[in-house]
């Protein structure tokens, strides 16, 4: 578990996701403003279940007292094949550096697991975010109708051994 803060950010704690987080994480995914309108089909009916949390390295960013201890974001690291599977920040918490902190944490976890790189298939509206946090564009994931009827940018995080 780690706590992070800066003068411009409220403190958060990043901890391992547990089964009791599953419903909150599912709500966070389904209510994401980035998946409204034309993108809604990608998360319609999506479920982050306790079984998923058991199978993958999922971590949540939890707010401090002023956030009421709420889950503000989360990510899921899949080890085989190496991939950042999910990364979401609650709409009301965006712009506070939480996504960047989750990526820094993910890099640390990937390094500890012995990974030197990992893939991300991005949602189009998140493409700029991934560029800003150091991911390198490597290609395009083709559409997979009906759930995802559009092509998506593919990125790679290169994990340093430091």
């Amino acid at each position: 578990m780690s706590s992070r803060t800066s003068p411009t950010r409220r403190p958060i704690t990043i901890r391992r996701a547990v089964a009791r987080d599953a419903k909150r994480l599912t709500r966070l995914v389904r209510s994401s403003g980035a998946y409204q309108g034309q993108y809604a089909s990608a998360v319609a009916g999506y479920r982050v279940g306790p079984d998923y949390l058991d199978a993958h390295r999922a971590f949540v960013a939890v707010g401090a007292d002023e956030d009421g201890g709420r889950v503000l974001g989360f990510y899921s690291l899949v080890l085989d094949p190496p991939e950042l599977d999910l990364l979401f920040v609650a709409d009301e918490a965006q712009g506070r550096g939480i996504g960047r902190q989750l990526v820094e944490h993910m890099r640390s976890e990937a390094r500890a697991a012995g990974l030197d790189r990992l893939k991300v298939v991005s949602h189009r509206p998140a493409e700029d975010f991934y560029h800003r946090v150091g991911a390198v564009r490597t290609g395009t994931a083709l559409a997979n109708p009906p759930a995802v009827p559009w092509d998506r940018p593919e990125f790679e995080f290169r994990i340093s051994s430091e």
Side-chain angles (χ1 to χ4, degrees):
M1 188 181 323
S2 64
S3 290
R4 304 178 189 270
T5 186
S6 80
T8 59
R9 299 180 190 155
R10 292 184 239 170
I12 65 166
T13 298
I14 298 176
R15 63 164 172 79
R16 186 77 185 246
V18 295
R20 72 176 180 275
D21 294 319
K23 286 182 182 179
R24 287 184 285 185
L25 300 182
T26 296
R27 273 195 306 276
L28 199 154
V29 169
R30 289 183 186 177
S31 67
S32 173
Y35 285 91
Q36 303 302 311
Q38 67 177 346
Y39 299 117
S41 64
V43 296
Y46 196 90
R47 179 179 169 270
V48 179
D51 53 335
Y52 180 89
L53 297 177
D54 285 342
H56 305 296
R57 292 185 183 202
F59 292 85
V60 295
V62 180
D65 294 337
E66 57 269 14
D67 289 309
R70 291 179 315 125
V71 170
L72 301 173
F74 78 103
Y75 76 88
S76 173
L77 177 61
V78 175
L79 297 180
D80 190 19
E83 181 175 7
L84 175 62
D85 186 39
L86 299 171
L87 173 64
F88 281 85
V89 174
D91 291 347
E92 67 277 4
Q94 291 185 10
R96 292 175 37 191
I98 294 167
R100 183 173 293 277
Q101 291 177 65
L102 287 168
V103 166
E104 289 170 11
H105 191 275
M106 177 275 304
R107 284 178 178 273
S108 177
E109 286 292 315
R111 189 177 304 109
L115 302 177
D116 64 350
R117 58 189 65 223
L118 59 97
K119 179 175 97 170
V120 177
V121 177
S122 176
H123 179 49
R124 280 188 199 163
E127 187 169 3
D128 288 340
F129 168 78
Y130 285 111
H131 280 294
R132 287 193 310 271
V133 296
V136 176
R137 178 84 188 253
T138 57
T140 301
L142 299 178
N144 184 19
V148 186
W150 55 86
D151 292 346
R152 295 161 292 155
E154 232 176 58
F155 289 91
E156 182 177 85
F157 280 103
R158 295 179 180 142
I159 309 299
S160 66
S161 60
E162 45 183 68

